[in-house]
Amino acid sequence: MEGRCEIGVIGMGVMGQNLALNLARHGIPVCVYNRTAERTEAFMRERVREEPIAPAHTLEELVQRLSRPRRLLLMVQAGPAVDQVLEALVPLLERGDVVMDGGNSHYADTERRMQALAARGIHFLGIGISGGERGALEGPSLMPGGSPEAYARVEPLLTRIAARSEEGPCCGYMGRGGAGHYVKMVHNAIEYAFMQGIAEAYDVMGTALGLSAEAIAEVFERWNEGNLNAYLVGLAARVLRYPDPETGAPLVERILDRAEQKGTGRWAAQSALELGVPAPTLMAAVVARTLSHFKADRERIAAGFPWPDGWPATAPGDEVEALADLEAALNLVVLTAFSQGLWLLHEASRAYAYGVDRGEVLRVWRAGSILRARWLGFLREVVREDPEDPHLLFSPRFRAEIRDRLAGLPAAGRVLRLAFAHGIPMPALSTAVDYVLSMRRSRLPANLIQAQRDAFGAHTYERIDRPGVFHTDWEG
Ligand code: 6PG
């Protein structure tokens, strides 16, 4: 391919390859580079056909082939690899060039890199990219953050390759500093909670209701037609139907029950703790993955701790009713997870001066992202009605529309009882119920905690009947 390329993609893992192909298929000439040249060559040989893609064998060659100001997209593993690439790349760049990091980098790293590059007049953007490998190729959801000026230089390219919803391309400016990666981190934390909620529903259907993987797939498919219409719900059905080529049994049943995580969900939980935002369902999903890892311990403890004879104390009852309860319960988990994630985003945006527009975030998640779901349109309307109210789930509109019908606590309560009777852990659902119960309670028993703190440590307390800080000699 002759002539200058409009963008350089560094890192030829599957995501980098697919984004390069997506860009090129939209008529954008791309130059690609990978640290090991074999990978670039294999990509050119095996996947590139008519697309305007040129390989570069050194960073110098890559930089020379780009039109100015240069635009580069890093698709390397989050962590030290990003710093290593930047160390080699930045001396080759000029003022005004734009470097984008499309990996799942930590927002604090992104801010540090942004400042380091800004000192040399180079723009740095942190871009959350969602949609997995397929999304990268066919249209991802893009969450860029950094300076508005830098974003303006890459916006035409990014909006061209993004997924599209009826509200336009699923790419939008998320805010200053590390906002793009912060938003993606929150996206992933909600993703974890959503997946945990789905897994719990699967467990109840299999363990308590005795449904086969096939029958559970049918239920998810049905739910996917209604309010629970979501990529992850449809995907659960698809995965449950997939047969193990060796045994013919559902492959999912042959998969080791140890969930991995790369860190984004945990970072969100850590950030929530740091900012003092209660996000119990997001945290529970992280903890559930961590706990699942202790397979050997679980096996040992399970052998010595059989579920007591005579349990379940509650018969499953009518299957149709139980499934309706379960659907309502999963809706509650999903809405609670979004609610907690969006509260976290609200506080982070304030604390770090990101200037995040949560309505825009929800619009960008509408298509292409792993979180794409019917609820997003409704959530966006709720946010738009009162952008300053952090509590979506408790907004008047939410209450009026769904409190009794869908986010039905009684249904969730029945599911928890059924699950408990069968010894099924429900971290996502139980924390979701707990969250709603706590937030709707004007008086919590924290008064006793305060009294005890004062009694043993003179930590003082406030009173409900007059202002001030008080201490009592509780022994006297
Ligand atoms: C997406 C996903 C993806 C995510 C991975 C890893 O939006 O496409 O969120 O980017 O980071 O699925 O997540 P784990 O922590 O589960 O490995």
Side-chain angles (χ1 to χ4, degrees), residues 162-451:
R164 304 189 86 82
S165 75
E166 66 235 31
E167 293 161 312
C170 289
C171 171
Y173 178 62
M174 297 287 105
R176 288 178 288 277
H181 280 142
Y182 198 95
V183 168
K184 177 66 194 328
M185 178 188 80
V186 170
H187 168 285
N188 283 17
I190 300 172
E191 174 186 302
Y192 281 31
F194 201 146
M195 292 170 78
Q196 178 62 29
I198 289 172
E200 290 170 19
Y202 157 71
D203 203 359
V204 169
M205 285 191 268
T207 309
L209 304 181
L211 299 189
S212 65
E214 172 91 17
I216 298 171
E218 266 168 40
V219 174
F220 281 131
E221 271 158 13
R222 210 169 54 241
W223 290 355
N224 198 26
E225 300 296 311
N227 284 298
L228 271 174
N229 174 265
Y231 167 73
L232 284 171
V233 173
L235 183 66
R238 188 143 51 87
V239 163
L240 281 159
R241 282 191 190 285
Y242 196 90
D244 176 18
E246 283 168 38
T247 62
L251 178 57
V252 71
E253 287 169 4
R254 304 277 144 171
I255 292 181
L256 185 66
D257 51 326
R258 266 175 28 178
E260 300 294 338
Q261 50 184 318
K262 293 204 195 71
T264 43
R266 189 178 70 243
W267 298 340
Q270 285 167 335
S271 179
L273 286 173
E274 275 163 23
L275 292 170
V277 177
T281 310
L282 306 187
M283 291 186 188
V286 177
V287 173
R289 286 195 187 191
T290 308
L291 193 152
S292 79
H293 248 252
F294 293 88
K295 174 79 172 170
D297 301 70
R298 287 190 284 118
E299 279 174 337
R300 184 168 51 79
I301 293 166
F305 188 2
W307 202 238
D309 274 352
W311 294 25
T314 312
D318 182 67
E319 188 181 296
V320 174
E321 280 172 24
L323 288 175
D325 282 349
L326 208 49
E327 186 180 4
L330 184 53
N331 269 300
L332 181 68
V333 168
V334 172
L335 294 171
T336 305
F338 272 105
S339 192
Q340 291 172 12
L342 289 161
W343 183 4
L344 177 58
L345 213 43
H346 183 81
E347 294 302 326
S349 181
R350 258 216 305 237
Y352 304 131
Y354 286 153
V356 174
D357 169 355
R358 295 180 305 164
E360 181 66 352
V361 172
L362 291 164
R363 186 191 69 74
V364 164
W365 290 350
R366 198 70 199 274
S369 91
I370 301 293
L371 285 183
R372 58 191 185 263
R374 184 167 293 169
W375 276 121
L376 289 174
F378 177 72
L379 290 170
R380 186 156 177 246
E381 285 169 27
V382 174
V383 168
R384 289 199 143 172
E385 218 152 77
D386 186 358
E388 288 314 308
D389 183 358
H391 307 297
L392 268 64
L393 197 52
F394 304 98
S395 71
R397 166 128 196 209
F398 226 109
R399 280 208 315 270
E401 294 246 355
I402 64 151
R403 183 186 56 184
D404 301 322
R405 196 159 48 89
L406 285 166
L409 287 171
R414 286 191 293 274
V415 170
L416 287 179
R417 222 172 84 183
L418 176 65
F420 181 75
H422 288 265
I424 303 168
M426 302 290 283
L429 183 61
S430 58
T431 50
V433 168
D434 222 56
Y435 178 74
V436 177
L437 293 183
S438 300
M439 290 297 292
R440 67 148 296 284
R441 191 94 189 274
S442 60
R443 189 156 167 84
L444 289 168
N447 49 327
L448 179 56
I449 294 170
Q450 282 298 78

Side-chain angles (χ1 to χ4, degrees), residues 21 30 36 47 54 56 100 111 168 172 191 198 263 305 308 335 353 367 379:
L21 286 168
V30 186
T36 50
R47 299 197 65 196
M100 298 171 266
E111 275 163 35
E191 174 186 302
I198 289 172
F305 188 2
L335 294 171
L379 290 170

